Amino acid sequence: MRFVRDKEAITIASYVISDIHGQYDMFMELLDKIKFNENDTLYILGDVLDRGPHPIKTLMKLMEMPNAICIVGNHELMALECLEFLMKEITDMSIEELDEKMLENLLTWQYNGSKTTIEEFEKLDAVTKQDVIDFIKDFVIYEEVSVNDKDYLLVHAGLGNYSPEKDIEDYSLHDLIWARADYDVRYFEDKYVISGHTPTQYIKDNPQPGFIYRKNNHIAIDCGACIPGGRLAAICLDTGEEYYTGD
Ligand SMILES: [Mn+2]
């Protein structure tokens, strides 16, 4: 869609980015490359947090962007399970609450790169901490969009326990945000599934590791922002154009 304002043509477009993993500088570089403006829509496919240097700074940038729609990843789920606990003062009460389940959650999260998220989170005041938690709670589980008569399912991972008979709401949260997509299976004849979660460097027999991967109506866009030599990618739903950080 195009309209003219002040004699300048403005293009309105929708973009999808996934697995930023705290790479704030890469995110800024990519927004600049796509010339993202207030009329555009940005879909974030989860895993904003963990691993990279500035997860909370990235999250707080997204909090300021009313035209960003955030979809939950497994790293946001792990964070949600732990951040409210970490907000509490260390008191007898919170020690008592550190039961086996919470300890397991903390260890799983630590194993998956929570360090930078916790470090940045700890520096916030109590009100901002709560704002961050509330913002993550508002992430949606998936999003279905149509652009130029093409239908897309936007989801962090999935579809675990896939069956062609199943409706999207029949999948569990785990199926959608932890499972590895099966790129050999065409999930839908009439719909593209755009997902992150698995860096395209790790997709077997991928001729272009580290770039957006397309097969069987799958579009995999996690290009390994935290992997050495990896990059952050964006795809424009209106044009199909791909954008990458780096040269
Ligand atoms: Mn993930």
Side-chain angles (χ1 to χ4, degrees):
M1 195 196 300
R2 283 178 89 84
F3 67 91
V4 175
R5 190 171 69 188
D6 298 337
K7 291 177 189 163
E8 220 182 314
I10 295 171
T11 309
I12 299 175
S14 299
Y15 299 89
V16 192
I17 295 177
S18 191
D19 292 76
I20 302 171
H21 277 307
Q23 298 289 8
Y24 179 83
D25 291 347
M26 284 186 174
F27 182 44
M28 290 303 104
E29 181 190 337
L30 203 51
L31 288 181
D32 198 45
K33 273 197 174 150
I34 64 179
K35 298 187 172 65
F36 191 71
N37 71 68
E38 60 192 11
N39 302 301
D40 293 328
T41 303
L42 179 63
Y43 296 94
I44 299 288
L45 294 191
D47 284 5
V48 175
L49 299 176
D50 300 344
R51 298 207 173 116
H54 298 298
I56 297 292
K57 189 177 178 186
T58 307
L59 199 77
M60 291 178 73
K61 169 68 185 173
L62 289 168
M63 287 166 78
E64 291 168 5
M65 297 172 65
N67 48 345
I69 294 165
C70 294
I71 295 162
V72 67
N74 52 311
H75 286 262
E76 281 74 49
L77 190 69
M78 287 186 280
L80 265 187
E81 285 166 341
C82 300
L83 287 179
E84 277 181 324
F85 176 79
L86 293 175
M87 266 188 79
K88 295 186 182 131
E89 301 281 332
I90 301 297
T91 60
D92 292 348
M93 183 75 149
S94 63
I95 297 296
E96 253 170 56
E97 281 174 35
L98 183 59
D99 57 8
E100 215 167 304
K101 180 70 192 150
M102 182 53 74
L103 199 58
E104 193 187 306
N105 286 344
L106 284 163
L107 287 171
T108 303
W109 193 28
Q110 185 186 42
Y111 175 77
N112 282 285
S114 65
K115 188 171 176 280
T116 50
T117 305
I118 292 173
E119 279 170 3
E120 280 195 324
F121 186 77
E122 290 295 337
K123 289 182 190 143
L124 305 174
D125 62 64
V127 173
T128 314
K129 280 179 179 169
Q130 193 56 56
D131 288 347
V132 163
I133 290 170
D134 292 343
F135 180 66
I136 301 172
K137 280 182 179 166
D138 276 343
F139 278 31
V140 297
I141 297 169
Y142 63 87
E143 190 77 16
E144 290 174 297
V145 290
S146 296
V147 177
N148 294 339
D149 293 327
K150 280 187 185 163
D151 295 331
Y152 299 91
L153 169 65
L154 311 180
V155 65
H156 178 64
L159 303 174
N161 296 301
Y162 167 76
S163 159
E165 281 85 42
K166 269 161 101 168
D167 288 329
I168 183 68
E169 55 267 28
D170 296 334
Y171 290 91
S172 71
L173 187 59
H174 191 276
D175 286 341
L176 298 178
I177 74 170
W178 273 104
R180 298 283 165 199
D182 188 346
Y183 308 107
D184 292 327
V185 175
R186 186 180 296 254
Y187 289 156
F188 307 103
E189 286 304 323
D190 52 354
K191 198 187 299 186
Y192 294 91
V193 178
I194 307 186
S195 62
H197 191 51
T198 302
T200 64
Q201 286 91 334
Y202 300 156
I203 297 175
K204 196 170 161 277
D205 299 328
N206 178 6
Q208 278 197 296
F211 294 90
I212 289 172
Y213 175 80
R214 300 167 193 253
K215 190 182 180 187
N216 290 328
N217 286 356
H218 284 277
I219 305 176
I221 65 166
D222 174 3
C223 293
C226 284
I227 296 174
R231 49 189 71 78
L232 192 64
I235 185 166
C236 177
L237 296 182
D238 304 72
T239 63
E241 212 172 326
E242 301 172 5
Y243 300 83
Y244 298 97
T245 53
D247 302 325

